[in-house]
Amino acid sequence: MLSIHHFVITAIVAIITLFYSVFFYHFLKDQQQKTDLIMESIRHDTSETAYIISTEMQGIESIRSFKSLLNRKVASSPLITNMVVSLGNKILIKTDAAITTIPPGKRTLSTLNNIPTSKLLEQRVFESDIDFFMQDKPAKLRLFTYVDHKYISNYFSQNQMNYLLFFGLFPMLGLGLLWLILRNYITTPLESLRLFAYSQEKRPKPFKLKELEYVRSSMEETFQRLEHEKKELYRLARTDSLSGLANRSQLNERLSWLISEASRENSEFAIVFIDLDNFKVVNDSLGHDIGDELLKNVADLIHHVLREYDIIARVGGDEFVIVLSHYKTNFELTHIIQRIIDRISELHIIESHPIRVSASIGVAFYPQDGTDITGLMKSADIAMYEAKKLGKNQFKFFTKALHQQVLKEIELEHSMRKAIKNNEFELFYQPKMSTDGHQVVGAEALIRWIHPQKGIIPPNDFIPAAEKNGLMVELGEWILQTVVQQQIEWKTSGLADIQLSVNLSVVQFLDDHFDDKFERIIIQSGIDPQKLDIEMTESVFLENSLKNLSSLNNIRDLGVSISLDDFGTGYSSLAYLKALPIDTLKIDKSFMDDFNNETGSIFIETIVKLAHTLKLHVVAEGIETQDQINYLVKIGCNTYQGYYCSPPLPVDQFEAFLRLTDYGCGEDRE
């Protein structure tokens, strides 16, 4: 593929070749025409002289009278230098005394037709016959014509020079000028456009030709726009669109460089992982627009606390990562982190809404807690969750103990998945008893893990892990199906037709398919929905409360009752009792333990009276003594559960408990 430059050169060379081919043809033709004219002139002068001598000569003795004729011919023709008349080998008359012999060879004019120029330039003498009669007998004289070789050579040289000048040099200069014009106005601009299109480095100057200038300006405008878009895309690819901070991609780039530098200099730096506490509550209660403005505000606060060379990035919804280096002591480091916590904890006014949030922060160090990006981020994340676990609004450093804890959690998750596969989980049932007659009015299903080596593992050891690693959804569905089947089985066998309670985790409510799964289990099993009770804690309303409220209403619409467990231990509010579809309040064991002091009893009695006013059932948990039973009867609480009557029992023991005609609780059991 030819370039524009090469194409123009090739075209001009082709034009030159064609032109000079035509030129050379006409030049040779012109040379031959001039040769023919010269030969015609020589032939005419020679023939005329020979004719005059032939017709006017009276005898051989009168030949000398024609010398003047020869001299006139020589003088009148620039082509002829000498003429000689001879008879045989004898010279009769001549115009130059220096000629003494007849030139050798035969050069008769009559035989030299269409002589080429090169032959003409080689020929020095031409001859012609002169016919006359001597004593009435024919005889022949010979007339030799000497041509001016130098004159003829100069004539052709001058003619050739003129021809080359007017028909060779001037056209060549014209073509050269054309080439310069094409190169300056077309080929060079087009070549610069080609290079500009290829590299966009050197921008060409404005062109003289209007059409090319349109192309150049259009290309320049296009490339400027593309360059701007490329920079903008590069910025967007490395910047968080909401906060304007670096995103995860840019953070990884800068961390890679920092790790390399720290490795060479044998230095350390800190990864600070920040997560806002209860940020979802702000989103759910005030809307995502307010939440986004809060995130921008927090980002600005953190940015102003940090130094110019510190790195800050937003890596998630409410998650920020800071990289701190060049600190002299850990005191300086912790001072910066504490300032961040203090600033975030200040009151934020977002669109006239006063908002307070806090932050949990985890800190990991290079190279102690990780030598690569993944390891450092994981260690900082673990430390952050430890800060949340210990009460939030604080920071924690990653330690080996934390690392071991994480490994333990990983091992626990693996064991739990294996336990689900091997059916190691089992449901225990704790009866709910009436305070007047100790009749079984229901039971709460409680999961236990029967480990083949470790024995019974209490729920507090694996339920939090199941909620964290996502197994709670699968485990909760299994619990619900098992309880429903168990209730139907006991009813069908005639053993008991009591209401069974199932604890639902907040994680299950967050599952997008929870409502469909729950309804399918109820409908397909054929259970009487009134024989199923769902227990949930107040934490359900701290996470995605609108969706959870919708799920609770769907449960009530199916005919299933709902109990609010551990009432009073969390963020209990009368607004909950008014707005939520609740059937039963469960008084936590911690309150029942204080029933015998004035403050505790007032609190319990208030809960019971409130429930009765709202027409809610009340269940007291953790009942362990007869005195507690007597107190419950006194205040009108008619349902309880606890070790006073029975601990949670496996299915076979619970069935044996149900078969007793007189259950007997506490001292009555003996």
Side-chain angles (χ1 to χ4, degrees):
M1 182 177 294
L2 293 175
S3 66
I4 296 173
H5 185 75
H6 290 162
F7 173 78
V8 172
I9 290 178
T10 302
I12 290 180
V13 169
I15 293 173
I16 291 174
T17 302
L18 177 63
F19 177 83
Y20 276 101
S21 296
V22 175
F23 162 77
F24 191 67
Y25 169 77
H26 286 285
F27 173 74
L28 293 179
K29 185 177 180 180
D30 181 74
Q31 290 287 85
Q32 186 62 46
Q33 288 176 349
K34 286 180 170 51
T35 300
D36 293 341
L37 288 175
I38 291 174
M39 288 298 299
E40 182 65 24
S41 178
I42 295 173
R43 185 179 289 109
H44 176 268
D45 289 341
T46 303
S47 298
E48 183 182 26
T49 303
Y51 176 77
I52 293 173
I53 294 174
S54 174
T55 56
E56 296 182 4
M57 190 174 62
Q58 300 298 321
I60 193 69
E61 62 280 357
S62 63
I63 190 65
R64 293 189 178 275
S65 63
F66 293 99
K67 184 174 181 180
S68 60
L69 174 64
L70 297 183
N71 288 330
R72 288 197 303 272
K73 287 293 181 182
V74 171
S76 62
S77 175
L79 298 175
I80 302 173
T81 58
N82 289 293
M83 298 187 79
V84 175
V85 178
S86 70
L87 179 62
N89 292 327
K90 181 181 177 182
I91 296 176
L92 299 180
I93 56 176
K94 53 185 179 179
T95 59
D96 187 358
I99 301 173
T100 58
T101 60
I102 298 173
K106 189 175 182 180
R107 291 161 293 276
T108 305
L109 282 170
S110 60
T111 62
L112 297 176
N113 294 323
N114 297 322
I115 182 174
T117 304
S118 59
K119 293 294 185 181
L120 174 62
L121 294 175
E122 294 176 358
Q123 198 75 17
R124 301 296 180 93
V125 181
F126 297 95
E127 66 177 273
S128 178
D129 294 333
I130 302 175
D131 296 327
F132 72 99
F133 290 90
M134 293 179 64
Q135 300 176 357
D136 299 329
K137 292 182 180 180
K140 286 187 177 182
L141 296 177
R142 287 189 295 172
L143 174 61
F144 295 93
T145 302
Y146 290 76
V147 297
D148 191 343
H149 179 267
K150 183 177 180 181
Y151 174 82
I152 294 175
S153 296
N154 290 337
Y155 173 77
F156 278 106
S157 297
Q158 184 64 34
N159 181 69
Q160 183 177 4
M161 182 65 64
N162 293 335
Y163 208 91
L164 289 176
L165 180 64
F166 289 102
F167 296 98
L169 179 61
F170 289 163
M172 180 64 71
L173 292 175
L175 289 173
L177 181 62
L178 175 62
W179 158 243
L180 291 176
I181 294 173
L182 291 176
R183 188 187 67 177
N184 291 333
Y185 288 90
I186 296 179
T187 60
T188 299
L190 288 176
E191 181 67 14
S192 63
L193 286 179
R194 184 187 70 82
L195 295 175
F196 183 48
Y198 180 77
S199 62
Q200 294 96 50
E201 292 180 358
K202 184 178 180 181
R203 295 181 180 179
K205 297 179 180 179
F207 299 144
K208 301 295 183 182
L209 296 182
K210 180 170 62 177
E211 289 77 5
L212 289 180
E213 175 57 21
Y214 287 161
V215 174
R216 185 202 68 82
S217 59
S218 177
M219 288 179 62
E220 184 173 359
E221 180 180 349
T222 300
F223 288 138
Q224 286 177 349
R225 185 177 67 254
L226 291 175
E227 182 67 19
H228 175 73
E229 292 176 354
K230 182 176 71 174
K231 291 180 179 179
E232 183 64 17
L233 288 174
Y234 180 74
R235 186 190 67 81
L236 291 176
R238 304 174 72 252
T239 305
D240 174 57
S241 58
L242 177 64
S243 64
L245 302 176
N247 61 9
R248 188 181 293 271
S249 177
Q250 185 180 166
L251 174 66
N252 289 341
E253 290 179 12
R254 300 179 70 178
L255 268 179
S256 297
W257 176 85
L258 189 58
I259 288 174
S260 299
E261 183 184 45
S263 176
R264 289 193 302 270
E265 298 179 358
N266 195 27
S267 60
E268 73 168 29
F269 61 85
I271 295 287
V272 180
F273 199 103
I274 304 174
D275 184 88
L276 300 184
D277 300 325
N278 299 325
F279 177 73
K280 290 185 178 179
V281 175
V282 177
N283 268 344
D284 293 341
S285 59
L286 299 178
H288 289 278
D289 292 342
I290 301 298
D292 289 345
E293 290 300 320
L294 176 61
L295 289 175
K296 293 180 183 178
N297 203 13
V298 170
D300 289 338
L301 289 176
I302 298 175
H303 189 267
H304 284 93
V305 169
L306 298 181
R307 301 160 297 182
E308 292 184 358
Y309 47 82
D310 293 328
I311 302 171
I312 176 174
R314 178 171 175 252
V315 297
D318 59 342
E319 297 175 340
F320 299 86
V321 171
I322 298 172
V323 182
L324 300 175
S325 58
H326 305 293
Y327 48 87
K328 298 179 180 179
T329 63
N330 286 337
F331 176 79
E332 179 183 353
L333 175 66
T334 56
H335 177 70
I336 295 173
I337 298 173
Q338 189 59 54
R339 284 183 61 199
I340 293 173
I341 292 177
D342 294 341
R343 292 300 304 275
I344 293 176
S345 301
E346 294 176 355
L347 182 65
H348 302 266
I349 305 298
I350 309 295
E351 296 184 6
S352 74
H353 295 283
I355 302 173
R356 285 194 182 275
V357 291
S358 59
S360 297
I361 298 179
V363 185
F365 294 94
Y366 174 88
Q368 298 94 313
D369 302 326
T371 57
D372 56 18
I373 297 175
T374 302
L376 288 169
M377 293 290 285
K378 182 178 180 181
S379 298
D381 187 52
I382 291 171
M384 183 272 295
Y385 275 106
E386 180 68 12
K388 279 189 177 294
K389 186 185 300 182
L390 296 177
K392 305 178 181 179
N393 196 30
Q394 59 183 298
F395 65 90
K396 290 293 178 184
F397 293 99
F398 179 80
T399 62
K400 290 184 178 180
L402 278 178
H403 184 68
Q404 293 301 322
Q405 179 181 338
V406 172
L407 294 179
K408 182 179 178 181
E409 290 176 357
I410 294 174
E411 182 182 359
L412 178 61
E413 178 181 350
H414 176 73
S415 299
M416 288 181 64
R417 294 185 184 277
K418 183 178 179 182
I420 293 175
K421 183 178 180 181
N422 296 338
N423 299 317
E424 297 176 9
F425 289 102
E426 184 178 335
L427 291 184
F428 281 36
Y429 295 87
Q430 186 176 37
K432 295 181 180 179
M433 309 297 294
S434 64
T435 56
D436 53 346
H438 302 296
Q439 298 297 315
V440 178
V441 295
E444 179 180 0
L446 301 166
I447 190 171
R448 297 292 185 267
W449 180 1
I450 314 301
H451 196 279
Q453 285 81 35
K454 301 178 181 179
I456 298 178
I457 299 178
N460 290 340
D461 289 349
F462 65 85
I463 290 296
E467 290 179 335
K468 184 177 179 180
N469 59 35
L471 287 176
M472 197 63 233
V473 174
E474 180 181 356
L475 197 58
E477 186 176 354
W478 173 83
I479 294 172
L480 184 60
Q481 289 177 335
T482 304
V483 168
V484 168
Q485 293 171 0
Q486 188 65 71
Q487 201 282 336
I488 295 174
E489 180 181 334
W490 286 338
K491 177 181 178 181
T492 303
S493 65
L495 181 60
D497 186 15
I498 58 176
Q499 185 184 63
L500 299 183
S501 296
V502 178
N503 289 281
L504 287 186
S505 167
V506 64
V507 177
Q508 292 175 265
F509 280 94
L510 295 176
D511 180 18
D512 292 334
H513 304 289
F514 170 74
D515 293 351
D516 295 334
K517 292 177 182 178
F518 189 90
E519 182 177 357
R520 185 176 65 251
I521 291 174
I522 298 300
I523 294 175
Q524 291 180 354
S525 66
I527 188 175
D528 180 1
Q530 295 182 358
K531 298 300 181 180
L532 183 63
D533 178 69
I534 297 301
E535 295 190 10
M536 50 86 184
T537 62
E538 295 169 8
S539 60
V540 170
F541 305 101
L542 296 178
E543 299 287 346
N544 210 6
S545 58
L546 294 178
K547 178 183 181 303
N548 295 349
L549 179 60
S550 175
S551 297
L552 290 174
N553 285 322
N554 292 336
I555 292 173
R556 279 290 299 277
D557 291 342
L558 291 172
V560 178
S561 64
I562 299 174
S563 297
L564 182 57
D565 197 10
D566 300 334
F567 180 73
T569 60
Y571 300 91
S572 299
S573 170
L574 293 179
Y576 285 169
L577 302 182
K578 178 181 177 182
L580 301 181
I582 298 173
D583 299 287
T584 303
L585 289 181
K586 299 189 73 175
I587 304 175
D588 188 67
K589 180 181 181 299
S590 61
F591 298 122
M592 292 307 305
D593 290 341
D594 293 334
F595 81 99
N596 54 0
N597 64 59
E598 183 178 358
T599 303
S601 63
I602 291 175
F603 194 85
I604 296 171
E605 291 173 21
T606 301
I607 294 176
V608 174
K609 289 179 181 180
L610 178 63
H612 289 168
T613 302
L614 296 175
K615 298 181 180 180
L616 301 177
H617 298 290
V618 183
V619 177
E621 295 183 293
I623 303 304
E624 297 178 348
T625 66
Q626 182 63 44
D627 291 339
Q628 289 175 317
I629 298 294
N630 296 336
Y631 174 74
L632 292 177
V633 173
K634 176 183 176 182
I635 64 175
C637 179
N638 52 14
T639 305
Y640 74 93
Q641 69 182 94
Y643 277 71
Y644 177 75
C645 185
S646 173
L649 301 172
V651 173
D652 55 345
Q653 295 182 29
F654 187 77
E655 290 176 348
F657 180 85
L658 290 175
R659 290 190 182 98
L660 295 175
T661 55
D662 183 4
Y663 299 111
C665 292
E667 298 174 355
D668 296 337
R669 294 177 60 187
E670 297 180 356

